[in-house]
PDB file of all heavy atoms in Angstrom:
ATOM      1  N   SER N  15      79.961   8.420 -17.885  1.00 97.00           N
ATOM      2  CA  SER N  15      81.081   7.767 -18.577  1.00 97.00           C
ATOM      3  C   SER N  15      80.653   6.362 -18.989  1.00 97.00           C
ATOM      4  O   SER N  15      79.627   5.834 -18.515  1.00 97.00           O
ATOM      5  CB  SER N  15      82.289   7.687 -17.647  1.00 97.00           C
ATOM      6  OG  SER N  15      82.011   6.745 -16.630  1.00 97.00           O
ATOM      7  N   LEU N  90      58.948  27.950 -14.377  1.00 97.00           N
ATOM      8  CA  LEU N  90      59.470  26.589 -14.206  1.00 97.00           C
ATOM      9  C   LEU N  90      60.581  26.603 -13.154  1.00 97.00           C
ATOM     10  O   LEU N  90      60.659  25.715 -12.304  1.00 97.00           O
ATOM     11  CB  LEU N  90      59.999  26.055 -15.545  1.00 97.00           C
ATOM     12  CG  LEU N  90      60.612  24.661 -15.479  1.00 97.00           C
ATOM     13  CD1 LEU N  90      59.560  23.613 -15.132  1.00 97.00           C
ATOM     14  CD2 LEU N  90      61.276  24.304 -16.817  1.00 97.00           C
ATOM     15  N   ALA N 114      65.368  20.608 -18.785  1.00 98.00           N
ATOM     16  CA  ALA N 114      65.953  19.786 -17.713  1.00 98.00           C
ATOM     17  C   ALA N 114      67.247  20.424 -17.195  1.00 98.00           C
ATOM     18  O   ALA N 114      67.541  20.361 -15.994  1.00 98.00           O
ATOM     19  CB  ALA N 114      66.223  18.374 -18.219  1.00 98.00           C
TER      20      ALA N 114
END
Side-chain angles (χ1 to χ4, degrees):
S15 70
L90 178 66

